[in-house]
Structures are given as C-alpha cells and as structure tokens.
Amino acid sequence: MALELIPDFATGPLDRYRKNVSFDWKKLKIFLETEEIIKFVNELCEEIKQHPILCPSLLTQTLDDVRHNTVKKLYTFLSIPAIESTYTSKINKTLAISTILYNLDTDTMVKMSVSIVLFASTLITMGTERHLSYVQDVLAKKVCSILPTLILYSSSFQIVGCFCLTEIGHGTNARGMRTEVIYDVNTKEFVLHSPDFEAAKCWAGGLGQSATHAVVFAQLITLDGIRRGLHAFVVPVRDPNSMLPYPGLIVGDMGEKVGLNGVDNGFIMFNNYRIPRENLLNKNADVNEQGQYITAIKDPSKMHGASLGGLSSGRVNITHMGYVYLTKAITIAIRYAGVRKQFGPEDQEELPIIEYQLHQHRLLPYLAAVYHLKFLAKNLNEVIAEMFNNSLSGKAIHPDLGHEIHALSSASKPIAGWTARDGIQECREACGGHGYLKGIFKCRFNLPKIKKETPLLSSCWFRQLKK
Amino acid sequence: MALELIPDFATGPLDRYRKNVSFDWKKLKIFLETEEIIKFVNELCEEIKQHPILCPSLLTQTLDDVRHNTVKKLYTFLSIPAIESTYTSKINKTLAISTILYNLDTDTMVKMSVSIVLFASTLITMGTERHLSYVQDVLAKKVCSILPTLILYSSSFQIVGCFCLTEIGHGTNARGMRTEVIYDVNTKEFVLHSPDFEAAKCWAGGLGQSATHAVVFAQLITLDGIRRGLHAFVVPVRDPNSMLPYPGLIVGDMGEKVGLNGVDNGFIMFNNYRIPRENLLNKNADVNEQGQYITAIKDPSKMHGASLGGLSSGRVNITHMGYVYLTKAITIAIRYAGVRKQFGPEDQEELPIIEYQLHQHRLLPYLAAVYHLKFLAKNLNEVIAEMFNNSLSGKAIHPDLGHEIHALSSASKPIAGWTARDGIQECREACGGHGYLKGIFKCRFNLPKIKKETPLLSSCWFRQLKK
C-alpha cells in the first residue's frame, strides 16, 4: 500500500493544524510524486545514511577543506549502488536524485553536473565517435542514452572536465569571445591563443584546481583567413598524475566566493597552445587535414546556436534548483509560523504568527510558487530529455524545438532564481533571528546556506535573455 | 586649502566619465562632509594603516578564528590615539569614526557597540551613582558626556558587558518576557529565575563566550505580589579570570550565524540566581531594603517605555550601517558599469553597460537612496545626541521627544535595512559573477560580506513597529 511508504509526522505543536487539514496529504504526495518515486527516494535516503561523509557539516570550513570534502563526497555519490543500479532513462528518477542531492549538498551536485555531466554531454552531443574515448567510463556503463541528465560516471575515472566559454571581457555577449584558434597544416594541429587577459576564459567550474580536460570555445580562423565563429575543442589542461598545468597554459583559481565554494572556478590563458586536429568537436563543422573548413550549416547565426544549444539543460537544472531551495525555506518558515506564538487577545494565550494576515500574505504566495516551479522544471526537463533521446536515436525533431527550449530555459532560469532569492529572504526574515543561524541545517534545511547560493542562480539572467 | 585634503583619483578607464562631470566633486564632498571631518578621517585612516591586524582577511576563517581576531581588533581599535585624543562630543566625528569602522570591520564595530557602548550607556542612563563602578574605565576618560555614541573605553577594562532582553519565546512582544525577579528581604538580594527554556534570554551579543556582566531585563514581582513590569539589573555572569559562568547560571552559545560571527551571541538561564539589591538599575524605580517599591512613574506603560527607550540609539546605528553598506555596494557597481563594456553598435567598440537605460534604472535609484539614508541617520543621531546631553546636564527635554525618536528610529531601521538589502543585491547582480567573489574586499569593498550581514538589519522590523 502506497500510503505506508510515507511515515507519519512526529507529534508536536503542529498537530493542531495537521489534524484540521481538509485533505489527505499523503494522497496528495503520492499524486504529485507517484508511488514508484517515493519508494525510490526512500531507498536512496537509506543508502545515503550509510555514508557518514555525506552528513552536512554544521560549521564553516576553510576553503581547502570545503573543496577536498566536496571531491570526497562526489566520489561517494558516484559509488552508491542505489543510484547506479536503479538509474534509468526515466527523467522522473533523475529529477528525484537531483532533488535529494541538491538538498543534501549543492556543492557536490553542482560539481558533478559541471565536471562530469556537462563535460561528457558536450563531448557526446557536439563531438563524434573519435571523442568517445574521453567519456569511456560513461560509455562503459551503457548509460549514454539518458544524457543530458546523466549523472553516472565510473568511479575510477581519470578525466575530470570543465566547460570554458565565458571570458573576462565577455560573458553576456558570447559572440564577442576573443580566444582564437588557427590550424597549422604542417603539424596537423590547432593552435589556441588568448590575445590578452581580457580574453582569458574564466569562471569555469572545476578549472581552478581539479580539471584535467576542458571543453574550450574559441573563434576559429581558417587558413583562408575567414573567421568561422565559436567552435568547441576538447583540451588537455593538467597532467592527470601530477595535476600540474601543461606548458603554454596559465591556469588559476577565481578565488573564494560567497557560496558554492566546493566548486573550484578557474581561469585559463593559452599561449599558442597546440592540440591535435581531432580535438575539434566536429559534429556540426570540421577542418580536414588540408585545413579546409567543412560544414553543412551555412548560416553563421545557426552555427552559433548549434554551438551553445547544449547549455539549455543547465538552465533548466538551475530552474530545478530554485524549486528545491525555495521548498526548503518555505517549509521551515511555515512550520515555524505555526509554532511561534506572539501577541494575542488580552489575558488569553498568544496566537501562532501564521494566524496573522500579514504573515500569511508574506509566505503563502511563495508556497504557491513552489508548485509552479516544480511543474515548470519538471516539464522542461521532460521536453529536453525527450528531444535529446530522439536526437541520439536519430528520430526527427521539430526544427523550432531547440529555439523554443532555448527561449523558455532562458526565461525559467531567472524567474526561478529571482523567486527563490526573494522567497528565501522573506522566509528568513519571517523566522526572526533563527533564520540567520547556520545550525538550522540540523533539521536538514539550511536557510543561510541556500540564501548565499541562490543569488548565483539569477546573476546571469541578462546574458540569457540577450541571446 | 581644503581641496588638497582630497587626493585625485588614479587615472584609468573611468576618466572619460570623470572628465565630463558638470560639477567639482571635491567641493561637493567638502560641502557634505566638512573640511574638519575630511582631515580627521585622513588622519584616522593613516593611523589604522599602522595596525596590520586590522587588515581584512580575504579567506573564510573558522568560527574560533573569527571570534579571536575580532577581540584582538577590538582592543586594537581602542588603543588608537587618533580615536581617543580627537574624540569629542561632536556627533559628526563620532559618525565619521563609525563609518570608517563599519567599512573596515563590521564585526568588531558591532562587538564594540554592544559589549561596551550599549552596556555602559544603559548603566549610566538607567542606573545611578552606585553603578558607576562598572564603567569606571569609561569615566576615567571623562568622556561620559558624549554617550550614547561613546566608543571609548579603557583598554585595560576587565568588564565586558552584554544586553539581555529577548527571550526564546518572546522578542517582538517585549511585554511578554517571562524572566522573573523577586526580592529576598532577609538577605537584601534579588533572585532571578527563568521558569523554563522558553524564558531563556537569547541572542545577547557577547554573551556566548566573552561577557563578564549582563544587563538583564526581568519582570519584577515585589513583596506584595504585584508584577511591576520589566526592570533592568546588572548581573555578573562570568568570573573575569577563569571566564567560567557562575553557579546558578546556564550560559551558552547561539552558534554560528550567516554573518557577523565575530559577535558571539549567547543565551542564559537563571536558577534562583542571587544578586545584591544595589544591582537594580534604579533611576526610574527602586526597591528599598525593606522591599518597598518606590517610583515616580505611576503608569506601567510609561515605565515600559522608560525601560526600553535606550534602544533607540541602537536602531539609529543600524540605520547608519545601512547607509555605509549600500554606499560600498553602489560605488562598486556604478564604477564597474562605467568600465564593463558589452554589446554595442555593429562594427564599433562595445558600450559601457552604464549607458544602457535598463542598467541606470537598476542602479541610480540606490545612488539617490544613499544620500537619503546618510542624512536620515545623521539627523537622527544628532537629535539623540542632543537629547542625551541635555538629559545628562539636567536641561529640560520636550516630553514627546523620546516617543518621537522611538517611532522614527523604529521606522528608519527597517527602511535602511530593506533598502540596503535590496540595493546591495541589485548591485551584486549588476556586477555579474564578480559580485559573488570574496576577493572583491581587496579594494576595501566587500559585496559578499555586506550582503550576508545586511539582512540581519531588517529581521527585527516587525518587533520595532509593534511597539
């Protein structure tokens, strides 16, 4: 019986409200989540409890400790059989795993998303067969059909990726990127070069300390002198044994941020850095041994779109994060408001603050927003997953679908970011001083931490909307 | 010549805007700040540079390190002759010092404000001559006439104070406080008692680890059984040598917060804890040796107001903090917008983003708000200082002035908190990813840090407005 999958709440001061509810909350939960997912989540949570390293730290750690612990947690996640064995192409289970991991440890989840999922999915979708060696661990698991929501990777992997698009001088205006790449017909190599510091690639997650390889977007200038626009290359950046950068590269750390410090964002400059011709991700365009440029996409604007289309799933993931974060915060704030009593009729017991209309007015719209964001993220994820699977299996895709997903994800990311940002702040203030305690994480919810990191979600909205 | 007190800006990419300005910014600065204050600030900054410990730390520290360093900085501040020797009763200099110290290290400034200024000013304004021994270091400097904006204290002081009003169960509703105090006529002592955990005093800044004494507000029940409302007592809480709490007390730490961790907020419970009769701060009401209650204030509501009136200056300080924080953020964001170029007319140089109307619309209202908050905080500080000095020197004060300051400060605190909160967030997002770097503090401005702490300012608005 599905209802038995959901334990009762512990009795306590919220009973007075829970007993008066006009519907069966367990049935609603089953309707929203499905019995299959609830069972799956229960099993996964039991498995996670077996790993003490995944227990959240209550105190501030130094930057080094945060990063080391994030890598350890990442490998722990990847070793969990409940994730690996039950992982299927069903997007609902993928989302359930994401929800748990964002709740448990956003740093690790984001590091996994960027260093493994985004890197591998870019190679698979923009590259061709010759690039599959970089993702052999992924392929060995035969799970590539579930990209781009893939989170599996062999725990023995030697390749840690990162994604280098943004430059110091250009983020929003992606067409203005100035990292250049030319082809040397004598050595059959591409030569990457950063003309100045403003052309340094920056903010790439994982590049600061841990990446061995990077996907690098650069302006391709062919032998005929024509600028062909942004093309992507897979570039070795560190010796996987010594973890030292290769000669010809300047690689550095962006430094400590206000949040998400488990992700080591970095920058990189290329000084006529050579890579094999085969490292061009050549699904949409290629340069042959003689240096001729070959592509079926004649319109440079369409080439630009094809190069950056893979970022849509990242934006949808961020939409999903907004939902997860705000869900945490609104749950804390509403429960607190049902327990916290202050003021009331003279000579009678004080009233729970949720009884005040002002307090309801502050919180309940964000409770509604949680459901909106949940369905928005779920729907977009389903559409992207279907498009992706159709693409990989060679099925026809409506020519406008990619553009539409680009537009919708570019809107859903800031909407979710702003809503979560403002909602979490409202929830924090609605909890008085307690909203500012780190120890609130003890109850698996962490207002200070989520607030710190949520603004990161919405900072790039301008960039997305201008595209 | 006053203009020479203000150095030119270094030349750089902002020159194009600075050269086109239609007014002399140095003259405006002198008009706003006065030559005297500019000179004073220059000297103080030079002095501060002599103390390496005051240099901001760029990396996250552990909680213990933050707290230890804050105490060291506090004593360093107090030892600076430029503060001590030039400190006068002029409120403008007091505000200038506050502005510098909030910019440099908010944790230390708040710790100083709470542990020393608020504690000492409460004893002096609510107590009588018999309480002056607790603040003898302050009095030795003969600077008591400048309270409540006093920041001086003998660097040899053995007494570190804290201010215990809020309880676990009651913050907003101050009349609902449940810590009780009765008088024992046999021993001539007051007996403090916390009926349960919800009556524990909490959030008191400095109580967590460093306070030796507390001002405690408790419901006084006189021998005739009448509840007399909140009265303040000075209570020894820790042995100044061992720093261990005295028997009869449970003292603890509220734990790590999202910001301001240099201030060790704490909680305390009293188990029939005895203090001498003389520890009642007895300016407004007293209990004589026989246990009779003596007061000139007959209206309990007026007694309540007299007990809590001293908090107005704290609210005005927070108004001032909002001004200082937002000034930092808007300066960074507008300068960045003048330098950062993105998009523009085809085949021409890209435009600085400040040229876009949308960007102006986001930032310029907060530039205006900075001036509003500056004058608001300055005016309220001046009025409070004048009232205070008149009170201490026995001059007549308009009977409504205290109420008006209470109302205005209760409005200015959340207005400043919300404006700074939203403005800083807007500024952060207007700086793209760079707004999320901790290293931005290198330029003496620190968006991540100020954002983290600003929400603390506005969390208690409800409490203030309900009073």
Side-chain angles (χ1 to χ4, degrees):
Chain A
M1 177 55 187
L3 289 176
E4 289 163 10
L5 294 171
I6 309 172
D8 292 328
F9 287 112
T11 58
L14 283 171
D15 288 349
R16 58 178 285 189
Y17 289 110
R18 289 186 169 139
K19 282 177 184 158
N20 288 332
V21 77
S22 61
F23 60 93
D24 185 329
W25 69 272
K26 291 188 182 181
K27 285 185 183 164
L28 177 64
K29 185 177 170 75
I30 292 166
F31 173 74
L32 291 172
E33 308 285 351
T34 76
E35 181 175 342
E36 178 192 17
I37 294 297
I38 292 170
K39 203 170 167 188
F40 173 70
V41 166
N42 285 352
E43 288 166 3
L44 187 51
C45 286
E46 283 306 311
E47 174 70 28
I48 285 172
K49 285 182 193 165
Q50 308 305 314
H51 300 275
I53 193 176
L54 298 179
C55 178
S57 167
L58 296 184
L59 285 176
T60 292
Q61 300 171 310
T62 63
L63 181 61
D64 269 356
D65 284 346
V66 172
R67 289 186 175 173
H68 276 109
N69 287 334
T70 300
V71 172
K72 288 176 191 166
K73 287 178 188 177
L74 172 60
Y75 281 78
T76 306
F77 277 148
L78 294 170
S79 73
I80 290 180
I83 293 181
E84 189 169 355
S85 64
T86 62
Y87 212 81
T88 74
S89 61
K90 285 195 68 168
I91 185 69
N92 280 357
K93 285 199 177 173
T94 311
L95 287 177
I97 291 176
S98 297
T99 302
I100 291 174
L101 298 192
Y102 280 131
N103 265 298
L104 192 66
D105 194 303
T106 304
D107 291 50
T108 307
M109 183 65 194
V110 171
K111 189 162 181 64
M112 184 151 64
S113 300
V114 173
S115 298
I116 297 177
V117 180
L118 181 60
F119 178 75
S121 67
T122 306
L123 260 62
I124 292 174
T125 57
M126 297 188 66
T128 52
E129 202 154 330
R130 69 192 190 205
H131 302 110
L132 296 185
S133 62
Y134 292 102
V135 288
Q136 57 190 354
D137 290 325
V138 181
L139 296 175
K141 300 285 179 188
K142 300 190 198 310
V143 289
C144 68
S145 68
I146 57 147
L147 283 167
T149 44
L150 166 74
I151 67 156
L152 279 184
Y153 215 83
S154 161
S155 58
S156 65
F157 62 87
Q158 280 273 307
I159 290 178
V160 178
C162 67
F163 189 89
C164 297
L165 173 63
T166 296
E167 296 176 0
I168 296 288
H170 287 90
T172 312
N173 185 3
R175 286 175 211 272
M177 301 291 174
R178 290 168 55 239
T179 301
E180 291 177 355
V181 59
I182 57 172
Y183 179 66
D184 182 341
V185 72
N186 297 317
T187 61
K188 321 285 186 215
E189 289 171 321
F190 283 110
V191 185
L192 283 158
H193 191 67
S194 314
D196 53 41
F197 177 68
E198 292 200 355
K201 293 291 178 189
C202 67
W203 287 116
L207 179 58
Q209 291 185 292
S210 54
T212 60
H213 289 69
V215 168
V216 176
F217 287 82
Q219 299 282 359
L220 173 62
I221 305 168
T222 43
L223 289 180
D224 48 17
I226 297 178
R227 300 178 78 89
R228 303 287 183 173
L230 286 184
H231 289 65
F233 301 80
V234 57
V235 181
V237 293
R238 279 192 183 88
D239 181 322
N241 296 311
S242 70
M243 291 304 280
L244 290 175
Y246 290 115
L249 301 176
I250 297 175
V251 185
D253 192 334
M254 292 298 286
E256 195 166 8
K257 298 161 292 178
V258 63
L260 265 186
N261 277 307
V263 180
D264 49 313
N265 298 75
F267 65 87
I268 189 167
M269 290 183 71
F270 305 95
N271 183 13
N272 292 310
Y273 186 72
R274 289 171 175 269
I275 53 173
R277 184 185 68 89
E278 293 79 7
N279 286 26
L280 170 63
L281 299 182
N282 60 334
K283 179 166 278 177
N284 296 317
D286 204 354
V287 172
N288 68 15
E289 286 200 11
Q290 292 73 42
Q292 288 173 306
Y293 185 70
I294 301 158
T295 181
I297 304 177
K298 299 301 176 197
D299 179 350
S301 182
K302 283 193 177 160
M303 176 62 83
H304 185 74
S307 295
L308 302 182
L311 293 173
S312 287
S313 63
R315 288 190 286 269
V316 173
N317 277 340
I318 290 174
T319 310
H320 184 73
M321 284 166 76
Y323 149 65
V324 175
Y325 286 174
L326 185 55
T327 303
K328 273 186 175 183
I330 198 71
T331 305
I332 298 172
I334 289 180
R335 288 182 181 174
Y336 180 77
V339 172
R340 174 75 174 180
K341 295 175 184 173
Q342 207 78 179
F343 297 107
E346 209 162 327
D347 297 326
Q348 291 180 38
E349 202 185 348
E350 290 177 294
L351 291 173
I353 56 177
I354 194 70
E355 299 292 343
Y356 293 96
Q357 279 190 337
L358 174 62
H359 213 75
Q360 296 166 11
H361 176 73
R362 291 171 70 187
L363 296 183
L364 298 188
Y366 289 111
L367 177 62
V370 157
Y371 287 93
H372 164 75
L373 293 179
K374 177 186 178 71
F375 297 124
L376 177 64
K378 183 165 179 284
N379 179 262
L380 287 172
N381 265 305
E382 285 168 353
V383 171
I384 286 187
E386 187 187 351
M387 180 179 74
F388 218 89
N389 288 332
N390 285 347
S391 163
L392 289 175
S393 60
K395 284 188 197 160
I397 297 173
H398 192 287
D400 287 342
L401 188 58
H403 294 113
E404 190 152 337
I405 289 176
H406 183 122
L408 287 172
S409 64
S410 296
S412 74
K413 172 185 163 180
I415 288 291
W418 289 327
T419 305
R421 174 197 72 186
D422 296 339
I424 292 165
Q425 180 63 26
E426 196 68 58
C427 290
R428 182 195 305 290
E429 295 183 21
C431 291
H434 306 300
Y436 296 84
L437 278 178
K438 282 201 177 171
I440 207 166
F441 207 169
K442 279 181 199 164
C443 55
R444 272 190 53 197
F445 299 126
N446 183 7
L447 279 176
K449 195 154 186 292
I450 56 183
K451 174 63 186 171
K452 268 200 307 181
E453 288 163 6
T454 308
L456 292 166
L457 306 186
S458 58
S459 67
C460 307
W461 67 277
F462 186 66
R463 181 178 321 170
Q464 305 307 337
L465 290 179
K466 290 288 286 191
K467 267 181 202 155
Chain B
M1 175 56 187
L3 289 176
E4 289 163 9
L5 293 171
I6 308 173
D8 292 328
F9 287 112
T11 58
L14 283 172
D15 288 350
R16 58 178 287 188
Y17 289 110
R18 288 185 170 139
K19 281 177 184 157
N20 288 332
V21 76
S22 61
F23 61 92
D24 185 328
W25 69 272
K26 291 189 182 182
K27 285 185 184 164
L28 177 64
K29 185 177 170 75
I30 293 166
F31 173 74
L32 291 172
E33 308 284 351
T34 77
E35 181 175 343
E36 179 192 16
I37 294 297
I38 292 170
K39 203 171 167 187
F40 173 71
V41 167
N42 285 352
E43 289 166 3
L44 186 52
C45 286
E46 283 307 311
E47 173 71 28
I48 285 172
K49 285 182 193 165
Q50 309 304 315
H51 300 275
I53 192 177
L54 298 180
C55 178
S57 167
L58 296 184
L59 285 177
T60 292
Q61 301 170 310
T62 62
L63 181 61
D64 269 356
D65 284 346
V66 171
R67 289 185 175 173
H68 276 109
N69 288 333
T70 300
V71 172
K72 288 176 190 166
K73 287 178 187 175
L74 172 59
Y75 280 78
T76 307
F77 277 147
L78 294 170
S79 73
I80 290 179
I83 294 181
E84 190 168 356
S85 65
T86 62
Y87 212 81
T88 74
S89 61
K90 286 195 68 169
I91 185 69
N92 280 357
K93 285 199 177 173
T94 311
L95 287 178
I97 291 176
S98 297
T99 303
I100 291 174
L101 297 191
Y102 280 130
N103 265 297
L104 193 66
D105 194 304
T106 304
D107 291 50
T108 308
M109 183 64 194
V110 171
K111 189 162 181 64
M112 184 151 64
S113 300
V114 173
S115 298
I116 297 176
V117 180
L118 181 60
F119 178 74
S121 67
T122 306
L123 260 61
I124 292 174
T125 57
M126 297 188 66
T128 53
E129 203 154 330
R130 70 191 188 205
H131 302 110
L132 296 184
S133 62
Y134 292 102
V135 288
Q136 56 190 355
D137 291 326
V138 182
L139 296 175
K141 300 287 178 186
K142 299 190 197 312
V143 288
C144 69
S145 68
I146 57 148
L147 283 166
T149 44
L150 166 75
I151 66 156
L152 279 184
Y153 216 83
S154 162
S155 57
S156 65
F157 62 86
Q158 280 273 307
I159 289 178
V160 178
C162 66
F163 189 89
C164 297
L165 174 62
T166 295
E167 296 176 359
I168 296 288
H170 287 90
T172 311
N173 185 4
R175 285 175 212 270
M177 301 292 173
R178 290 168 55 240
T179 301
E180 291 177 353
V181 59
I182 57 172
Y183 179 66
D184 182 341
V185 72
N186 297 318
T187 62
K188 321 285 186 214
E189 289 172 320
F190 283 111
V191 185
L192 283 157
H193 192 67
S194 313
D196 52 41
F197 178 67
E198 292 200 355
K201 294 291 178 188
C202 68
W203 287 115
L207 178 58
Q209 291 185 291
S210 54
T212 61
H213 289 69
V215 168
V216 176
F217 287 82
Q219 299 282 0
L220 173 62
I221 304 168
T222 43
L223 289 181
D224 48 17
I226 297 177
R227 300 179 78 89
R228 303 287 182 172
L230 286 184
H231 288 66
F233 300 80
V234 57
V235 181
V237 293
R238 279 191 184 89
D239 181 323
N241 296 311
S242 70
M243 291 304 280
L244 290 175
Y246 290 115
L249 300 177
I250 296 174
V251 185
D253 192 334
M254 291 298 286
E256 195 165 9
K257 298 161 291 178
V258 63
L260 266 186
N261 277 307
V263 181
D264 48 312
N265 298 74
F267 64 87
I268 189 168
M269 291 182 72
F270 305 95
N271 183 12
N272 292 310
Y273 186 71
R274 288 170 175 270
I275 54 173
R277 184 185 67 89
E278 293 79 8
N279 285 26
L280 170 63
L281 299 182
N282 60 335
K283 179 167 279 177
N284 295 317
D286 204 353
V287 172
N288 68 14
E289 287 201 10
Q290 292 73 41
Q292 289 172 306
Y293 185 70
I294 302 158
T295 181
I297 304 176
K298 299 300 176 197
D299 179 349
S301 182
K302 282 193 178 160
M303 176 61 82
H304 185 74
S307 295
L308 302 181
L311 294 172
S312 287
S313 63
R315 288 189 286 268
V316 173
N317 277 340
I318 289 174
T319 309
H320 184 73
M321 285 166 75
Y323 150 65
V324 175
Y325 286 173
L326 185 55
T327 303
K328 273 186 175 183
I330 197 71
T331 305
I332 298 172
I334 289 180
R335 287 182 182 174
Y336 180 78
V339 172
R340 173 75 174 181
K341 295 174 183 171
Q342 206 78 179
F343 297 106
E346 210 163 326
D347 298 327
Q348 290 180 39
E349 202 185 346
E350 290 177 294
L351 290 174
I353 56 177
I354 194 70
E355 299 292 342
Y356 293 97
Q357 279 190 336
L358 174 62
H359 212 75
Q360 296 167 11
H361 177 73
R362 291 171 70 187
L363 296 182
L364 298 188
Y366 289 111
L367 177 63
V370 157
Y371 288 93
H372 164 75
L373 293 179
K374 177 186 178 71
F375 297 125
L376 177 64
K378 183 166 179 283
N379 179 262
L380 286 172
N381 265 305
E382 285 168 354
V383 171
I384 286 187
E386 188 187 350
M387 179 179 75
F388 218 88
N389 288 332
N390 286 346
S391 163
L392 289 175
S393 60
K395 285 188 196 160
I397 297 173
H398 192 287
D400 287 341
L401 188 57
H403 294 114
E404 191 152 337
I405 289 176
H406 183 122
L408 287 172
S409 64
S410 296
S412 73
K413 172 184 164 181
I415 288 291
W418 290 327
T419 306
R421 174 197 70 186
D422 295 339
I424 291 165
Q425 180 64 25
E426 196 68 58
C427 290
R428 181 195 306 289
E429 295 183 20
C431 291
H434 306 300
Y436 296 85
L437 278 178
K438 282 201 175 169
I440 207 166
F441 206 170
K442 279 181 199 165
C443 55
R444 272 190 54 196
F445 299 126
N446 182 7
L447 279 177
K449 194 153 187 293
I450 55 183
K451 174 62 186 171
K452 267 200 308 181
E453 287 162 6
T454 308
L456 292 166
L457 305 185
S458 58
S459 67
C460 308
W461 66 277
F462 186 67
R463 182 178 321 170
Q464 305 306 337
L465 290 178
K466 290 289 287 191
K467 269 182 200 153

